[in-house]
Amino acid sequence: MLNYLWLIPLLPLFGFLINGMIGIGGLWGTGKRPAKPFVYTIACGSVLLAFLLSVSCFIGLLRLPAEHRLFEVNLFTWIPGLTLKTALGSLAALEINWGMQLDPLSAVMILVVTGVGFLIHVYAIGYMYEEQGFYRFFAYMNLFMFMMLTLVLANNYLLMFVGWEGVGLCSYLLIGYYTDKKSAGDAAKKAFVVNRIGDFGFLIGMMTIFTWFGTLDFTEVFEKVVAFSPSPEVTWGVLSWIALLLFIGATGKSAQIPLYVWLPDAMEGPTPVSALIHAATMVTAGVYMVGRSSAIYSRTPDVMLIVASIGIVTALVAATIALFQRDIKKVLAYSTVSQLGYMFTALGVGAVAAGVFHLATHAFFKALLFLGSGSVIHAMHHEQDMVKMGGLRKYLPVTCLTMWAGTLAIAGVPGLAGFFSKDEILWRAFSNPQGRTLIWLTGVVVAGMTAFYMFRLMFLTFYGEERIDPHTKHHLHESPRVMTVPLMVLAVGSVLAGYLGLPAWLGTNVFERFLEPALETAYQAAPEAAVHQTHQTEILLTVVSVTIAAIGIFLAWYFFIRKPEKSELLKRRFSGVHRLLYNKYYVDEAYDLLFVNRTKDLGTFLWRFDERVVDGLVNGSAVATKITSWISGQADIHIVDRLVNLVAEIMNFFSAVIRKLQTGLVQRYALFFVIGIILVISYYLYIGV
């Protein structure tokens, strides 16, 4: 089945085209919208088929010898050969294929994307059934799946960048799905703009790769990197710049400091969007890209330290903000930022497999928590303030039980998925040569905070005194099975997924061994003589981290169940600290002051310049007279008018067609974009290239 690898991303694309085209043009040209069962059958069916094909390709990959688990297929030559001279003085042909690559790393990603993505699609049937634009929502969801699968299956940086930009576009469309909500539109624009800042770094890094190595193909780039720098760079060199530029792209897509501010606002989109894009898939793209480039990062120790430092600081800052948020989705949003920080910490200390392992386990329990919060919001008639909830466990028993599985997993309770992956990251942060004791200590503190704010969420939502509006309480009910069954499946994954990556003192880490051929790590295994002592140390550190998490759980129980009045007392006593954390360190306000408002000021200046100076050349007789006199001394003043107006008429003539394309309808832009891709692919397939 490996030969059908290219079908995995195409199946969701077909779902997008069918629902999108029929939704826009009407069913069979009648102008009538397709029935909702038709829409969700196409949308969910295409993702299910992609998942089944992913499983089949994964099995096919396992049948290959471990050292040869790499399968590539090139569909056509996208950019034909163009001979250029590299910075190293050699000639290189820039030839980019539209090709796909399956290896252990991309195999894990497609299973996560299609598996969790399918469950979210099924959940969305119930959650979005009464919403307007049902076909539009599922068309966007399928388009996102196509772009994300293109990103993780690409065999070169340029095709990865196509998927990278594509998920950014889909994020914009889905976050701003509620077109009548100004806050949703603002959040969509914010996500789009902030991601473009990071993407600029990715683009420059990609150009630098080609400038030095003459190719963008992963296999060729990494082979040349090894030959160029057999050992890590001692000083800051070209590989360090490449690694840093790529990491700038990752900070945008994966919401790391300083580009994390878009992710919490993105919760304005529907809850299934939050689960799909901002918990399970899109935000992990930066982690995947850095892991894919491990051959570069393993040779840049200075950049690895930057990655680890940014990661752990992001984890800490986001965790402190999550401590006092009242919006249930905002707590989970900052939790996502914090957990992504954990993943980058792992990458920065050379534990790439541990970072990817946490990516996989996090997809289960964070998607579960987001969908569980959506079930709560659905029952509460879109109320998201946890202070207005309480005692919901008797009304939403299935939602409560499944969310407990996700909460225990993310809190690092032994035996659940989050415990194994988080414990492995903390151990590597302590034991790897690239690790630091301070990084480990900060990670342990963050683990305690995570346990506290997640149990606070559960206690405020499902336990304690009921604080529900009487009208809302009258309509409380458990979500339908189409929503609760995906919660159950994700809950099972949140419990069992961790057993693929057992720590060394418990057994064999199957996950790390599977990924090993696809990654070049920057650490060495402990010598045989020190293995026993290493196991003792690892067990001790595990006990420490579990104890800190237990303290966080106890404090949450004490302040929100046992003595809830104490939390109010502390809030008043430390009102300044509470206000600072509740307002997210006023980072958004600082960005508005330094960047957003200054950009508006620049736009205002340019507008006034156009109005008073450019238009003044035509309308101001005094200015026009002076300019005319300066040009010829005798020329008629109307010559200047005619020249300026002639330029305007010429530009107006040539822009007439382009103006019709620039309608401001993003859906139409996306449609043109996809049609263009299809036409290009069809052309190359037709001519047999």
Side-chain angles (χ1 to χ4, degrees), residues 649-662:
E649 289 297 329
I650 292 173
M651 295 302 296
N652 187 57
F653 174 78
F654 284 106
S655 63
V657 176
I658 299 175
R659 278 205 313 274
K660 294 179 181 178
L661 298 176
Q662 301 295 325

Side-chain angles (χ1 to χ4, degrees), residues 610 614-615 618 640-656 659:
D610 178 72
V614 177
D615 291 347
V618 177
V640 177
D641 295 351
R642 292 169 182 172
L643 287 174
V644 175
N645 289 331
L646 177 62
V647 173
E649 289 297 329
I650 292 173
M651 295 302 296
N652 187 57
F653 174 78
F654 284 106
S655 63
R659 278 205 313 274

Side-chain angles (χ1 to χ4, degrees), residues 213 217-229 295 299:
F213 302 111
D217 182 84
F218 291 144
T219 303
E220 295 179 11
V221 168
F222 301 148
E223 287 176 352
K224 293 185 178 183
V225 165
V226 172
F228 176 74
S229 180
R299 288 165 172 78

Side-chain angles (χ1 to χ4, degrees), residues 409-429:
I410 195 174
V413 172
L416 283 85
F419 163 76
F420 295 106
S421 56
K422 189 180 296 184
D423 181 66
E424 185 68 14
I425 292 174
L426 292 175
W427 166 240
R428 295 298 186 185

